[in-house]
Structure formats: C-alpha cells, structure tokens
Amino acid sequence: MFKSVKLSFSITALSAVALTGTSLALADDHASGFAGDDVLPVTSAMSADQLSQILAAHPRQLSSLEAICESKIGISVAKTAYFPKLSANISGGDKLVDKTTRSDEFGGTNSPEYDGKGVNATLSISQLLYDWGVTGNTVQVEREKTTKARLLNRETADAQTLGLLDLSFKLDAAAKAVVIGQQTLDQMNFVLSNTEKKYKLGAGTLTEVKELSLMVLQREGLLQSATLRYESLVKSLKTQYGVSLEEAAALRSMFVNLREENPVPTGVEATLSYRQNELDREIAKLEDKKLSRSRFPKVQAELAGRAWDIQEQDSCGMVTGSDIFGNVQRLRQDCRAYEATGNLSLSMPLYDGGENKNRRRAVASQMRRLASVERSIMRDHDVTASDLVSQLNDLTRASADNVNQIAALSSRLADVARLQEATQSNFPLLASLSDKLGDLEIQQASVIAELENTRAQIYSLNDQLVDILAISLEQPQC
C-alpha cells in the first residue's frame, strides 16, 4: 500500500515540477492556496490611450499641467508692456491753507483748479515707444520658462510611467514567488506526510522526519514573507496610481511587446536634465541682457485730460462780488475748467543704489553655476549609462545561468523521482531538490523583473519611454 502511494507521488507531483523548468508553468498549473486569477491575472496588452488616461489622473501630472498654464500666463503678462495703459483718477477735498498767488485768465487769484475744493477728474493714456528690447527679452524669458514647464510635464510623465512599470514588474515577481512558494510547500508537505507514514511503518527514521519538518518550517517562513511583500505591493499600486492588478499586467505586456531586447543609452544631449539646464542657461543670458539694457533711456508718450470741480463746473471766473445772501458772484464769460495735454518723455535711471549692478552679478554667478551643473550632468550621465549597460548584461547572464541551473536541477529531480520506482527512495533528497528548484524559479522571476526595469530605465534615460509607449500628454486647459 505505501509503495503504491510513493510511486503515485513521484509520478504526479515531483516529476511534473522537475520537467517544467519555469515558474510560469508552475504558476499556471499548480497555484494551490491562491486563486491564479487574483495573483497572476492574464490580460491583453494595455492601449496607449488607457495608459495616458491613468497618468493624466495622477496629482503630479495635474500639477505639472498647471505649471505650464502659469508660465503661459507669464508670457501674456510680459506682452502687456507693448500695449497702451489707460488710467483714471477722481479726487475731492478742500484747501486748508490758501496761499495761491497764480491767477487765471480772468485775473482771479483763486482759480478752481487751485482752490482745492470740489471733485476733480483725470483720464490719461500712456504708451511705451522704445525700451532697447527690455520688453522683448522679458517676453522671451517667459517663453523659455514655458518650454521648460513642458519639459517638466514630460519628465513627470516619464517618472510616473517608470515608477508604475517598476512597481508592476516587482508585483509580478512577488506574485510568482507566492505561487511557486505555495506550490513548493505543498510538495514538501506531501513528502513529509509520506515520510511520517514510512516512519510509522518502521521503514524510515525519525531523523528524516525531523529534517523534513525543519525544511517545511523554513519554507512556510519564506512563503509568509513573500505573501506580505505581495500584499504590500498591491496596496502601493492602488494607493499611488489607482491601478488594478489587471491593468498592471496589461502594462507589463504592453512594455514587453514594444521594447527592444538590448536598448542602448544615447548621448547626454537627449536627456531631460541636460535640456532643462540648457534652458536655464538661456534664461540667465536673457536676464543679463535685460538688466544691461534697462540702464538705457526709455521713450514714452502720454496723453492726459483733466477736469476740475466737475460737480460745480460753473464755479469759475473772476469774483465780482456777492449777493444779499453772501453767495459768491463770478464773471462767467468763457467759463472753463478742463484741459488736455500731451507729452513725450525720455527717462533713465541715474542711480539705483547699486540694485542693477548687484542683480547682474547674481545672474553672472548663476550662469557659472549652470555651466558647472552641465558638466556634472554629463559626468553623471556617463556613469549612469555605463552602470545600466553593465547591469543589463549582468542580469542577462544571471537569467541564462538560472535557466541552465533550473534545467540541470529539473533533470536531477527527475532522476531521483525515477529511482523511487526501484524502491531506492530518498525523501529528504527529493524535498531538498524541490526546495532548491523553487528558490531558483523565484530568483529567476526576480531577475526577469529587474531586467525589464533596467530596460525601462535606459529608455527613461534616453527620454524615449513616453514615445515608445505612445503616451499622449494632455494639453493644459488655461
């Protein structure tokens, strides 16, 4: 009876595991303890529109869109210097001390525009005619800032996509670790059960039972850790991106279908950090030019109309006396209290306490800093590119080594399983080989995830991740 049980186990359980050689087969065929659809959902590749919608809903992406709006409005603000300015002023009061000696055209010494009493109004329009390109440089600065804001929007989308891919592939490896770990534990428990039966029948030893019990406990601990990691990644996926397991699986499929096997880093000029720094340098040059030209005279035209005592427009002219009630009587011939003036002004600062000079010094320091930042970016890019290429090669070799080891171990496990049919059973060896095979397959799943994430990092470094996934960046609604 026991011998038939042993043979059944070696053929149906261990041989199946030994001959698969990949964690994918285990996940599909032996996901005991977990529902396969919940842990490793099978789905088609995600579309570019779906991914674009997921990214567009992220708060960081929305924030970067508002930054574009802010910079575009800055252009409109800078352009207002080209247009005329219209202003109005209404004032009223009474003169507290009357020492006026200027007379009007009728000889009076208390002209309404000087008596301070009543309501006066002024309407003026002014137009900047020439400022040596200061306004043009200001507009160009804002345009460069808008270009930089668009790069930041693209960088945000790139970072969110890279983070989502990283989390998705880690989640895939964690899910496979759970499935493989549970499968391996079930197999080891089956071996332990048969070993205990063998011991009770007097055909085995207590040492074998204890050895297998310890191996089962260790595998249970590893499975518990893998399960906790998987649950943590699922929570992070939903919290950070609001993405389901099916969507994560679709994104992985999408990336794998589109990416190259061995992407190559491009020159530093293609990186987002380098291009942003170049824009900062251009902005600093424009600021320096603007500050230099702001010391030159500006030409401005102004047209102004004024009216005095608008609520008492007849209270003007020379005083001729008073009536019996004491009211002032005036000579109202040609009584007017308004004027229109036009002027052309040339203005320039003579002394500003050193403000302009110190601001230009600050810009010069900024330009030197940005030049150093550029050299730093170039060095960092070379190091990062070299590290990613080395990492890609190392992981590729590690994956190939794992495949060879899995094949060799599977063959060894199959040989040991066949020996059971000749009653040369060695349950501890069977369990040990099954345990090692499970570890190798879990390790291979992790290596594959790291490989895909390394490829994604290379595309991100090249500023190509958004393009290969055909992500459509939403335009700001300003």
Side-chain angles (χ1 to χ4, degrees):
M1 177 66 68
F2 171 73
K3 182 175 180 180
S4 64
V5 172
K6 179 177 67 175
L7 287 173
S8 175
F9 166 71
S10 65
I11 294 172
T12 60
L14 286 180
S15 295
V17 176
L19 296 176
T20 56
T22 64
S23 58
L24 289 174
L26 287 173
D28 293 339
D29 299 334
H30 305 287
S32 58
F34 278 85
D37 291 339
D38 295 334
V39 179
L40 294 171
V42 178
T43 184
S44 59
M46 179 180 288
S47 68
D49 289 340
Q50 286 177 300
L51 179 57
S52 299
Q53 291 173 6
I54 291 173
L55 295 176
H58 198 278
R60 288 195 179 95
Q61 202 68 24
L62 295 174
S63 175
S64 66
L65 285 176
E66 290 301 323
I68 296 177
C69 280
E70 183 180 347
S71 59
K72 289 180 68 176
I73 294 172
I75 297 176
S76 299
V77 172
K79 285 183 176 180
T80 57
Y82 287 128
F83 305 112
K85 305 294 186 294
L86 184 66
S87 61
N89 176 269
I90 297 179
S91 62
D94 198 356
K95 186 178 291 184
L96 299 179
V97 178
D98 189 355
K99 296 293 183 181
T100 303
T101 58
R102 177 177 174 177
S103 63
D104 61 13
E105 59 181 307
F106 303 103
T109 59
N110 227 2
S111 300
E113 61 267 35
Y114 289 102
D115 63 13
K117 184 177 181 179
V119 178
N120 307 320
T122 301
L123 181 66
S124 63
I125 182 171
S126 61
Q127 172 66 57
L128 178 66
L129 300 180
Y130 188 69
D131 65 354
W132 302 89
V134 171
T135 299
N137 283 323
T138 302
V139 173
Q140 189 60 33
V141 165
E142 297 302 324
R143 283 176 176 161
E144 297 293 345
K145 288 181 178 179
T146 301
T147 303
K148 183 180 178 182
R150 293 188 182 279
L151 283 182
L152 288 172
N153 174 252
R154 184 180 177 90
E155 183 180 48
T156 301
D158 179 276
Q160 296 306 307
T161 305
L162 185 63
L164 182 54
L165 280 170
D166 178 76
L167 194 55
S168 297
F169 280 114
K170 286 180 178 177
L171 181 63
D172 182 54
K176 290 175 181 177
V178 172
V179 172
I180 297 168
Q182 183 64 59
Q183 177 68 26
T184 304
L185 179 61
D186 290 344
Q187 295 160 2
M188 294 175 68
N189 275 325
F190 193 82
V191 173
L192 176 60
S193 175
N194 281 275
T195 304
E196 289 175 341
K197 292 178 182 178
K198 181 180 176 181
Y199 170 70
K200 291 177 181 179
L201 292 173
T205 65
L206 183 60
T207 302
E208 289 180 333
V209 175
K210 291 182 177 180
E211 183 178 354
L212 286 172
S213 298
L214 180 59
M215 293 172 63
V216 168
L217 288 174
Q218 291 174 340
R219 177 55 60 183
E220 286 176 346
L222 293 174
L223 178 59
Q224 185 178 11
S225 297
T227 303
L228 291 174
R229 174 169 171 75
Y230 170 76
E231 292 173 349
S232 175
L233 291 172
V234 170
K235 183 178 179 180
S236 296
L237 185 70
K238 294 181 179 179
T239 302
Q240 294 184 30
Y241 300 98
V243 174
S244 66
L245 296 178
E246 290 76 12
E247 289 173 327
L251 176 60
R252 291 194 299 270
S253 179
M254 176 187 185
F255 178 75
V256 171
N257 291 339
L258 296 173
R259 55 94 173 136
E260 296 179 0
E261 191 72 19
N262 295 299
V264 179
T266 58
V268 66
E269 294 81 6
T271 63
L272 288 169
S273 57
Y274 182 89
R275 289 152 63 188
Q276 289 176 36
N277 189 71
E278 284 296 293
L279 286 173
D280 285 336
R281 295 183 70 180
E282 183 62 27
I283 291 172
K285 291 178 183 177
L286 291 170
E287 289 285 359
D288 182 69
K289 187 183 296 185
K290 183 176 71 173
L291 288 170
S292 297
R293 294 186 177 185
S294 65
R295 297 176 297 168
F296 301 154
K298 296 181 180 179
V299 181
Q300 186 167 326
E302 183 179 22
L303 179 64
R306 300 181 182 86
W308 292 272
D309 292 341
I310 56 177
Q311 87 286 13
E312 297 177 354
Q313 56 183 346
D314 292 333
S315 298
C316 61
M318 184 178 65
V319 177
T320 59
S322 59
D323 57 19
I324 59 175
F325 300 105
N327 296 321
V328 176
Q329 293 182 329
R330 295 177 180 269
L331 180 64
R332 296 176 180 175
Q333 182 181 2
D334 295 329
C335 182
R336 290 183 295 273
Y338 58 85
E339 70 174 9
T341 61
N343 63 74
L344 188 67
S345 64
L346 185 70
S347 62
M348 64 177 294
L350 297 179
Y351 181 69
D352 61 1
E355 178 186 353
N356 187 281
K357 178 182 178 181
N358 285 316
R359 289 178 65 184
R360 283 187 290 119
R361 288 177 60 193
V363 171
S365 178
Q366 181 185 13
M367 293 174 66
R368 291 192 296 271
R369 176 180 63 80
L370 292 173
S372 298
V373 170
E374 180 179 289
R375 293 192 293 272
S376 175
I377 290 174
M378 295 174 68
R379 293 183 181 183
D380 291 344
H381 175 269
D382 291 341
V383 172
T384 302
S386 177
D387 288 346
L388 287 174
V389 171
S390 297
Q391 184 175 334
L392 185 65
N393 293 333
D394 291 343
L395 289 171
T396 302
R397 285 192 294 269
S399 178
D401 290 343
N402 282 341
V403 170
N404 292 333
Q405 291 182 49
I406 288 173
L409 192 56
S410 299
S411 177
R412 171 62 174 156
L413 186 57
D415 292 340
V416 174
R418 280 193 295 271
L419 288 176
Q420 291 184 99
E421 299 177 3
T423 68
Q424 299 179 21
S425 61
N426 188 339
F427 280 177
L429 179 58
L430 280 172
S432 176
L433 292 175
S434 179
D435 190 41
K436 290 180 180 179
L437 182 60
D439 286 340
L440 272 176
E441 290 174 334
I442 291 173
Q443 181 180 342
Q444 175 68 352
S446 178
V447 168
I448 291 174
E450 290 184 38
L451 258 175
E452 297 300 342
N453 282 328
T454 301
R455 294 185 179 109
Q457 289 176 50
I458 293 176
Y459 280 116
S460 175
L461 183 67
N462 297 344
D463 186 29
Q464 296 173 337
L465 190 58
V466 171
D467 294 331
I468 68 162
L469 297 177
I471 297 173
S472 177
L473 297 179
E474 186 177 354
Q475 295 301 313
Q477 302 298 319
C478 303

Short mmCIF file of all heavy atoms in Angstrom, two decimals, residues 175-216:
data_model
loop_
_atom_site.label_atom_id
_atom_site.label_comp_id
_atom_site.label_asym_id
_atom_site.label_seq_id
_atom_site.Cartn_x
_atom_site.Cartn_y
_atom_site.Cartn_z
N ALA A 175 4.22 38.04 -7.01
CA ALA A 175 3.10 37.10 -7.19
C ALA A 175 3.62 35.72 -7.55
O ALA A 175 3.12 34.70 -7.04
CB ALA A 175 2.18 37.64 -8.28
N LYS A 176 4.62 35.66 -8.42
CA LYS A 176 5.18 34.36 -8.79
C LYS A 176 5.88 33.71 -7.61
O LYS A 176 5.85 32.49 -7.44
CB LYS A 176 6.15 34.54 -9.96
CG LYS A 176 5.47 34.89 -11.26
CD LYS A 176 6.47 35.17 -12.36
CE LYS A 176 5.75 35.54 -13.67
NZ LYS A 176 6.70 35.89 -14.74
N ALA A 177 6.51 34.53 -6.76
CA ALA A 177 7.16 33.99 -5.57
C ALA A 177 6.13 33.34 -4.64
O ALA A 177 6.39 32.29 -4.04
CB ALA A 177 7.91 35.10 -4.83
N VAL A 178 4.96 33.96 -4.53
CA VAL A 178 3.90 33.38 -3.70
C VAL A 178 3.40 32.07 -4.30
O VAL A 178 3.25 31.06 -3.60
CB VAL A 178 2.74 34.39 -3.54
CG1 VAL A 178 1.55 33.72 -2.84
CG2 VAL A 178 3.20 35.60 -2.74
N VAL A 179 3.13 32.09 -5.60
CA VAL A 179 2.60 30.89 -6.26
C VAL A 179 3.61 29.75 -6.19
O VAL A 179 3.27 28.61 -5.84
CB VAL A 179 2.25 31.21 -7.72
CG1 VAL A 179 1.87 29.94 -8.48
CG2 VAL A 179 1.10 32.21 -7.78
N ILE A 180 4.86 30.04 -6.55
CA ILE A 180 5.89 28.99 -6.53
C ILE A 180 6.15 28.52 -5.11
O ILE A 180 6.32 27.32 -4.84
CB ILE A 180 7.19 29.52 -7.17
CG1 ILE A 180 6.95 29.86 -8.64
CG2 ILE A 180 8.32 28.49 -7.05
CD1 ILE A 180 8.09 30.64 -9.27
N GLY A 181 6.18 29.47 -4.17
CA GLY A 181 6.41 29.10 -2.77
C GLY A 181 5.31 28.20 -2.23
O GLY A 181 5.58 27.22 -1.52
N GLN A 182 4.07 28.53 -2.56
CA GLN A 182 2.95 27.70 -2.11
C GLN A 182 3.00 26.32 -2.76
O GLN A 182 2.76 25.30 -2.11
CB GLN A 182 1.63 28.39 -2.44
CG GLN A 182 0.40 27.66 -1.96
CD GLN A 182 0.33 27.57 -0.45
OE1 GLN A 182 0.32 28.60 0.22
NE2 GLN A 182 0.29 26.36 0.09
N GLN A 183 3.32 26.28 -4.05
CA GLN A 183 3.44 25.00 -4.75
C GLN A 183 4.53 24.13 -4.14
O GLN A 183 4.34 22.94 -3.91
CB GLN A 183 3.73 25.27 -6.24
CG GLN A 183 3.95 24.02 -7.07
CD GLN A 183 2.68 23.20 -7.22
OE1 GLN A 183 1.59 23.76 -7.14
NE2 GLN A 183 2.82 21.91 -7.41
N THR A 184 5.69 24.78 -3.87
CA THR A 184 6.81 24.04 -3.28
C THR A 184 6.45 23.53 -1.89
O THR A 184 6.78 22.40 -1.51
CB THR A 184 8.06 24.93 -3.21
OG1 THR A 184 8.35 25.42 -4.53
CG2 THR A 184 9.26 24.17 -2.68
N LEU A 185 5.76 24.38 -1.10
CA LEU A 185 5.36 23.97 0.24
C LEU A 185 4.40 22.78 0.18
O LEU A 185 4.52 21.85 0.98
CB LEU A 185 4.71 25.15 0.96
CG LEU A 185 4.21 24.88 2.39
CD1 LEU A 185 5.37 24.46 3.29
CD2 LEU A 185 3.49 26.10 2.95
N ASP A 186 3.46 22.81 -0.74
CA ASP A 186 2.53 21.69 -0.87
C ASP A 186 3.28 20.40 -1.20
O ASP A 186 2.98 19.33 -0.65
CB ASP A 186 1.51 22.00 -1.98
CG ASP A 186 0.54 23.09 -1.58
OD1 ASP A 186 0.45 23.38 -0.37
OD2 ASP A 186 -0.12 23.64 -2.47
N GLN A 187 4.26 20.49 -2.07
CA GLN A 187 5.04 19.31 -2.43
C GLN A 187 5.85 18.79 -1.24
O GLN A 187 5.92 17.59 -0.99
CB GLN A 187 5.97 19.65 -3.61
CG GLN A 187 5.22 19.98 -4.89
CD GLN A 187 6.08 20.77 -5.87
OE1 GLN A 187 7.24 21.03 -5.61
NE2 GLN A 187 5.49 21.14 -7.00
N MET A 188 6.44 19.73 -0.48
CA MET A 188 7.25 19.32 0.67
C MET A 188 6.37 18.74 1.77
O MET A 188 6.77 17.79 2.47
CB MET A 188 8.05 20.52 1.18
CG MET A 188 9.11 21.00 0.18
SD MET A 188 9.96 22.49 0.72
CE MET A 188 10.86 21.87 2.12
N ASN A 189 5.17 19.30 1.94
CA ASN A 189 4.23 18.73 2.92
C ASN A 189 3.81 17.31 2.53
O ASN A 189 3.65 16.44 3.37
CB ASN A 189 3.01 19.63 3.04
CG ASN A 189 3.22 20.78 4.02
OD1 ASN A 189 3.90 20.61 5.03
ND2 ASN A 189 2.65 21.93 3.71
N PHE A 190 3.66 17.11 1.21
CA PHE A 190 3.31 15.77 0.74
C PHE A 190 4.43 14.79 1.00
O PHE A 190 4.21 13.65 1.43
CB PHE A 190 2.99 15.84 -0.76
CG PHE A 190 2.34 14.61 -1.29
CD1 PHE A 190 0.98 14.40 -1.14
CD2 PHE A 190 3.08 13.62 -1.93
CE1 PHE A 190 0.36 13.26 -1.63
CE2 PHE A 190 2.48 12.48 -2.41
CZ PHE A 190 1.11 12.29 -2.27
N VAL A 191 5.67 15.24 0.78
CA VAL A 191 6.83 14.39 1.07
C VAL A 191 6.91 14.09 2.56
O VAL A 191 7.16 12.95 2.99
CB VAL A 191 8.12 15.07 0.58
CG1 VAL A 191 9.35 14.27 1.03
CG2 VAL A 191 8.11 15.21 -0.93
N LEU A 192 6.69 15.12 3.38
CA LEU A 192 6.73 14.94 4.83
C LEU A 192 5.66 13.95 5.29
O LEU A 192 5.92 13.09 6.14
CB LEU A 192 6.54 16.29 5.53
CG LEU A 192 6.46 16.26 7.06
CD1 LEU A 192 7.74 15.69 7.66
CD2 LEU A 192 6.18 17.67 7.61
N SER A 193 4.47 14.06 4.72
CA SER A 193 3.38 13.15 5.09
C SER A 193 3.75 11.70 4.78
O SER A 193 3.54 10.80 5.61
CB SER A 193 2.10 13.55 4.35
OG SER A 193 1.06 12.64 4.60
N ASN A 194 4.33 11.49 3.61
CA ASN A 194 4.73 10.13 3.24
C ASN A 194 5.90 9.63 4.08
O ASN A 194 6.00 8.45 4.39
CB ASN A 194 5.08 10.08 1.76
CG ASN A 194 3.85 10.01 0.88
OD1 ASN A 194 3.30 8.95 0.63
ND2 ASN A 194 3.41 11.18 0.44
N THR A 195 6.80 10.57 4.44
CA THR A 195 7.93 10.18 5.29
C THR A 195 7.44 9.75 6.67
O THR A 195 7.96 8.78 7.27
CB THR A 195 8.92 11.35 5.42
OG1 THR A 195 9.32 11.75 4.12
CG2 THR A 195 10.15 10.94 6.21
N GLU A 196 6.44 10.49 7.20
CA GLU A 196 5.88 10.13 8.51
C GLU A 196 5.20 8.76 8.43
O GLU A 196 5.31 7.94 9.36
CB GLU A 196 4.89 11.20 8.96
CG GLU A 196 5.57 12.51 9.35
CD GLU A 196 4.56 13.60 9.66
OE1 GLU A 196 3.38 13.45 9.23
OE2 GLU A 196 4.93 14.60 10.31
N LYS A 197 4.49 8.49 7.33
CA LYS A 197 3.86 7.18 7.17
C LYS A 197 4.92 6.08 7.10
O LYS A 197 4.77 5.00 7.67
CB LYS A 197 3.01 7.17 5.89
CG LYS A 197 1.78 8.04 5.95
CD LYS A 197 1.03 8.02 4.64
CE LYS A 197 -0.19 8.93 4.68
NZ LYS A 197 -0.90 8.93 3.39
N LYS A 198 5.99 6.37 6.37
CA LYS A 198 7.08 5.42 6.24
C LYS A 198 7.71 5.12 7.60
O LYS A 198 8.03 3.97 7.94
CB LYS A 198 8.12 5.97 5.27
CG LYS A 198 9.31 5.06 5.02
CD LYS A 198 10.27 5.73 4.05
CE LYS A 198 11.52 4.87 3.84
NZ LYS A 198 12.49 5.51 2.94
N TYR A 199 7.86 6.19 8.42
CA TYR A 199 8.45 6.03 9.76
C TYR A 199 7.53 5.19 10.65
O TYR A 199 7.99 4.30 11.40
CB TYR A 199 8.70 7.40 10.37
CG TYR A 199 9.09 7.35 11.83
CD1 TYR A 199 10.34 6.86 12.22
CD2 TYR A 199 8.19 7.78 12.81
CE1 TYR A 199 10.68 6.81 13.57
CE2 TYR A 199 8.53 7.73 14.15
CZ TYR A 199 9.78 7.24 14.53
OH TYR A 199 10.12 7.18 15.84
N LYS A 200 6.21 5.43 10.56
CA LYS A 200 5.27 4.68 11.40
C LYS A 200 5.23 3.21 11.01
O LYS A 200 4.93 2.35 11.84
CB LYS A 200 3.88 5.30 11.29
CG LYS A 200 3.78 6.67 11.94
CD LYS A 200 2.40 7.27 11.74
CE LYS A 200 2.32 8.67 12.37
NZ LYS A 200 0.99 9.27 12.15
N LEU A 201 5.51 2.94 9.73
CA LEU A 201 5.54 1.55 9.27
C LEU A 201 6.86 0.87 9.59
O LEU A 201 7.06 -0.30 9.29
CB LEU A 201 5.27 1.48 7.76
CG LEU A 201 3.87 1.86 7.31
CD1 LEU A 201 3.79 1.91 5.78
CD2 LEU A 201 2.85 0.87 7.86
N GLY A 202 7.81 1.65 10.16
CA GLY A 202 9.09 1.09 10.54
C GLY A 202 10.10 1.04 9.43
O GLY A 202 11.16 0.44 9.56
N ALA A 203 9.78 1.71 8.29
CA ALA A 203 10.69 1.67 7.15
C ALA A 203 11.52 2.94 7.04
O ALA A 203 12.38 3.05 6.17
CB ALA A 203 9.90 1.47 5.86
N GLY A 204 11.26 3.91 7.93
CA GLY A 204 12.02 5.17 7.89
C GLY A 204 12.59 5.50 9.25
O GLY A 204 12.44 4.75 10.22
N THR A 205 13.26 6.66 9.30
CA THR A 205 13.91 7.09 10.56
C THR A 205 13.30 8.39 11.04
O THR A 205 12.75 9.18 10.25
CB THR A 205 15.42 7.28 10.35
OG1 THR A 205 15.64 8.35 9.43
CG2 THR A 205 16.05 5.99 9.82
N LEU A 206 13.44 8.63 12.34
CA LEU A 206 12.96 9.88 12.93
C LEU A 206 13.78 11.07 12.43
O LEU A 206 13.28 12.18 12.31
CB LEU A 206 13.02 9.77 14.46
CG LEU A 206 12.49 10.98 15.24
CD1 LEU A 206 11.02 11.22 14.91
CD2 LEU A 206 12.69 10.76 16.74
N THR A 207 15.05 10.80 12.13
CA THR A 207 15.92 11.88 11.63
C THR A 207 15.37 12.44 10.33
O THR A 207 15.38 13.67 10.11
CB THR A 207 17.35 11.34 11.41
OG1 THR A 207 17.85 10.82 12.63
CG2 THR A 207 18.25 12.44 10.90
N GLU A 208 14.89 11.57 9.44
CA GLU A 208 14.33 12.04 8.19
C GLU A 208 13.10 12.91 8.44
O GLU A 208 12.91 13.95 7.80
CB GLU A 208 13.94 10.84 7.31
CG GLU A 208 15.12 10.08 6.74
CD GLU A 208 14.67 8.92 5.88
OE1 GLU A 208 13.56 8.39 6.11
OE2 GLU A 208 15.42 8.54 4.96
N VAL A 209 12.26 12.48 9.38
CA VAL A 209 11.05 13.24 9.69
C VAL A 209 11.40 14.62 10.23
O VAL A 209 10.83 15.63 9.81
CB VAL A 209 10.18 12.48 10.71
CG1 VAL A 209 8.98 13.33 11.14
CG2 VAL A 209 9.70 11.16 10.13
N LYS A 210 12.36 14.68 11.15
CA LYS A 210 12.76 15.97 11.74
C LYS A 210 13.40 16.88 10.68
O LYS A 210 13.16 18.10 10.65
CB LYS A 210 13.73 15.74 12.89
CG LYS A 210 13.08 15.11 14.11
CD LYS A 210 14.09 14.96 15.24
CE LYS A 210 13.44 14.40 16.50
NZ LYS A 210 14.42 14.25 17.61
N GLU A 211 14.22 16.30 9.82
CA GLU A 211 14.88 17.08 8.78
C GLU A 211 13.85 17.69 7.83
O GLU A 211 13.93 18.88 7.48
CB GLU A 211 15.85 16.19 8.00
CG GLU A 211 16.65 16.95 6.93
CD GLU A 211 17.62 16.05 6.21
OE1 GLU A 211 17.77 14.88 6.60
OE2 GLU A 211 18.22 16.51 5.23
N LEU A 212 12.89 16.90 7.43
CA LEU A 212 11.85 17.40 6.53
C LEU A 212 10.94 18.42 7.23
O LEU A 212 10.51 19.40 6.62
CB LEU A 212 11.02 16.24 5.99
CG LEU A 212 11.71 15.37 4.93
CD1 LEU A 212 10.87 14.15 4.61
CD2 LEU A 212 11.94 16.19 3.67
N SER A 213 10.66 18.19 8.51
CA SER A 213 9.83 19.15 9.27
C SER A 213 10.50 20.51 9.33
O SER A 213 9.84 21.56 9.18
CB SER A 213 9.57 18.62 10.68
OG SER A 213 8.85 17.40 10.64
N LEU A 214 11.82 20.53 9.54
CA LEU A 214 12.57 21.79 9.58
C LEU A 214 12.52 22.48 8.22
O LEU A 214 12.35 23.71 8.13
CB LEU A 214 14.01 21.52 10.00
CG LEU A 214 14.94 22.74 10.08
CD1 LEU A 214 14.39 23.75 11.08
CD2 LEU A 214 16.36 22.32 10.46
N MET A 215 12.68 21.73 7.15
CA MET A 215 12.63 22.30 5.80
C MET A 215 11.25 22.90 5.53
O MET A 215 11.13 23.98 4.91
CB MET A 215 12.96 21.24 4.76
CG MET A 215 14.41 20.74 4.82
SD MET A 215 14.71 19.33 3.73
CE MET A 215 14.39 20.07 2.13
N VAL A 216 10.20 22.22 5.98
CA VAL A 216 8.84 22.74 5.79
C VAL A 216 8.64 24.05 6.56
O VAL A 216 8.04 25.01 6.05
CB VAL A 216 7.81 21.69 6.22
CG1 VAL A 216 6.41 22.31 6.32
CG2 VAL A 216 7.78 20.53 5.25
#
